[in-house]
């Protein structure tokens, strides 16, 4: 989370360069194509509605009261920038969008899923097999929901970014 804004800037710059080199797309057009357009309100509302249980249920099930980390607002900005915007730019704004151009929804989701899962393999080495395996399962299972929010949101990353941020917001708390 600390470097979320910096990572977002780097990912966005690379994406704009790739769009320019591959398709000759001007930055203003590329930004919209990558998902930075005006989102559909229904998609954002749905993402927020699903985010509430994602945030609340784990603590209720565990029977604990989470405590926010010191500096959590800045950490939340970093999580939104990195996990929300940067990752969704790569996975929905670039990979899924390009795969969807000549595939049905289901085929594009299935084609993008191994890419998303593979990106989570390094977690196995950093946090162990249980945590890494869980991260890969979550990545695979959320691919459908994030792609649906992308489509529902008129090809924008805002709704999937909101839900993606909620899923990774466990980093904001210290559990007893």
């Amino acid at each position: 989370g600390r470097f979320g804004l910096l990572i977002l800037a780097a990912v966005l710059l690379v994406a704009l360069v790739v769009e320019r080199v591959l398709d000759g797309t001007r930055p203003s057009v590329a930004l919209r194509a990558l998902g930075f357009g005006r989102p559909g309100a229904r998609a954002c509302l749905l993402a927020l509605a699903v985010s509430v249980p994602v945030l609340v249920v784990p603590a209720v099930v565990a029977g604990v009261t989470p405590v926010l980390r010191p500096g959590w607002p800045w950490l939340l900005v970093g999580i939104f920038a990195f996990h929300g915007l940067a990752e969704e730019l790569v996975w929905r704004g670039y990979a899924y969008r390009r795969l969807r151009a000549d595939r049905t929804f289901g085929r594009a989701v299935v084609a993008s899923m191994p890419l998303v899962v593979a990106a989570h393999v390094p977690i196995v080495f950093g946090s162990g097999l249980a945590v890494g395996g869980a991260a890969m399962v979550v990545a695979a299972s959320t691919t459908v929901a994030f792609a649906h929010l992308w489509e529902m949101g008129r090809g924008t990353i805002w709704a999937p970014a909101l839900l993606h941020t909620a899923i990774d917001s466990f980093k904001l708390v210290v559990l007893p």
Side-chain angles (χ1 to χ4, degrees), residues 45-79:
L45 289 173
L46 178 59
L48 288 172
V50 173
S51 293
V52 170
V54 165
L55 294 168
V56 173
V57 168
V60 170
V61 168
V64 298
T65 303
V67 176
L68 289 169
R69 292 185 184 278
W72 70 267
W74 183 245
L75 183 56
L76 179 59
V77 168
I79 291 170

Side-chain angles (χ1 to χ4, degrees), residues 90-138:
V90 170
W91 299 122
R92 256 52 65 186
Y94 189 80
Y96 174 78
R97 172 180 57 96
R98 289 193 173 261
L99 290 166
R100 182 70 164 101
D102 60 353
R103 290 174 176 82
T104 64
F105 174 83
R107 289 182 191 269
V109 168
V110 169
S112 67
M113 198 176 290
L115 304 172
V116 175
V117 170
H120 290 78
V121 168
I123 297 171
V124 171
F125 301 107
S127 299
L129 187 57
V131 173
M136 288 186 280
V137 168
V138 169

Side-chain angles (χ1 to χ4, degrees), residues 134-159:
M136 288 186 280
V137 168
V138 169
S141 62
T142 57
T143 302
V144 176
F146 291 154
H148 177 70
L149 288 170
W150 162 270
E151 300 247 346
M152 190 178 180
R154 297 190 298 224
T156 64
I157 64 171
W158 303 110

